[in-house]
Amino acid sequence: MQYSQKVLDHFMKPHNVGKIESPDAQATEGSPACGDQVSIYLKVNPEELTIEDIKFQSYGCASNIATASIITDMAKGRTLDKAKKITWKEAADALDGLPPVKMHCSVLAVDTLRSAIKDYEIKHHLAEEAAFNKDAIVEELKKVIYPKVGEDIVTLKMVKYVGFENGVATIDVEIPKFDEHRDNVVEEIKEHLEKFKEIKEVKITM
Ligand code: FES
């Protein structure tokens, strides 16, 4: 697998590694695909709602560590609103590319940053904890990136139907049979949805 020099630099000497004692917000997310975990800690300026300090701990691979390193650099000093809009694509571009097979590792880092920001917003009543329903599934599917173009499968209109009944999530997704990323996308969908305790089964039709 070919890593860019920037990925290697951030992997060998990652920025913002560690833990913040008494953070204003934090999140830990894990990847069922590989079992790895990332934690992100935030110190937030309550008046300006900017990220004053940010640190991460990762038990993931090079892609995960390099992505966490670069997105924590990007997030530092930004407002919460701007920081939560940092995308996998921006992180991948800033790292001069990431191998598509390692996509779930870098998406995990981006998701963890968003969850840490959400944690702050919920604690400070800036956002409400969303009730679990079909919309929550669609929101989660927006984190599944189609590697060929680096956009999510909802924006790309690849998701044709989402259903949720009696704990069964049904997703109809349009990916051509010969598409080299087909298995990868299916795995990503399962990985993202199976972590919800409300979902007992994920059915994917194509
Ligand atoms: Fe687990 Fe990359 S293989 S984070």
Side-chain angles (χ1 to χ4, degrees):
M1 188 182 323
Q2 199 68 30
Y3 281 123
S4 72
Q5 189 56 44
K6 274 207 183 149
V7 172
L8 293 174
D9 290 348
H10 278 270
F11 170 55
M12 308 287 259
K13 288 198 177 131
H15 307 175
N16 315 307
V17 172
K19 190 175 177 179
I20 296 177
E21 294 306 329
S22 322
D24 295 323
Q26 72 180 83
T28 298
E29 298 259 342
S31 161
C34 64
D36 293 328
Q37 278 197 335
V38 189
S39 299
I40 290 188
Y41 308 89
L42 302 178
K43 271 278 175 209
V44 177
N45 178 317
E47 268 109 54
E48 292 167 12
L49 294 179
T50 47
I51 297 178
E52 281 185 338
D53 198 11
I54 179 165
K55 295 234 180 292
F56 79 94
Q57 291 176 312
S58 164
Y59 301 94
C61 64
S63 284
N64 181 272
I65 291 170
T67 309
S69 173
I70 201 123
I71 61 166
T72 47
D73 271 355
M74 290 159 97
K76 207 183 268 183
R78 284 199 194 183
T79 60
L80 296 176
D81 271 348
K82 285 203 173 133
K84 70 183 170 198
K85 291 191 185 123
I86 295 172
T87 62
W88 172 82
K89 176 93 171 59
E90 279 175 80
D93 287 349
L95 288 167
D96 292 341
L98 281 164
V101 288
K102 285 291 191 175
M103 196 180 59
H104 78 269
C105 317
S106 45
V107 170
L108 176 65
V110 176
D111 285 354
T112 311
L113 172 62
R114 289 187 189 155
S115 299
I117 294 172
K118 189 89 179 178
D119 180 45
Y120 184 89
E121 291 177 333
I122 290 170
K123 279 183 184 152
H124 292 80
H125 311 291
L126 302 168
E128 303 219 337
E129 197 136 18
F132 196 84
N133 55 23
K134 217 171 75 171
D135 295 344
I137 295 178
V138 174
E139 278 310 303
E140 192 62 26
L141 291 175
K142 287 184 188 165
K143 297 177 186 171
V144 177
I145 310 291
Y146 180 55
K148 208 177 273 178
V149 287
E151 291 263 15
D152 73 86
I153 59 172
V154 175
T155 304
L156 291 170
K157 302 198 182 343
M158 295 168 76
V159 179
K160 298 297 172 198
Y161 171 80
V162 172
F164 181 61
E165 221 183 322
N166 301 325
V168 181
T170 308
I171 319 295
D172 187 16
V173 58
E174 195 173 76
I175 316 175
K177 271 204 171 62
F178 48 83
D179 191 307
E180 58 178 321
H181 299 293
R182 188 178 155 106
D183 293 350
N184 205 268
V185 170
V186 169
E187 270 314 301
E188 285 279 314
I189 294 174
K190 283 192 186 153
E191 183 190 326
H192 274 270
L193 298 184
E194 282 171 357
K195 70 183 177 203
F196 291 101
K197 61 178 184 330
E198 293 85 353
I199 297 180
K200 307 272 177 277
E201 193 187 343
V202 179
K203 278 190 185 161
I204 299 175
T205 55
M206 287 186 279

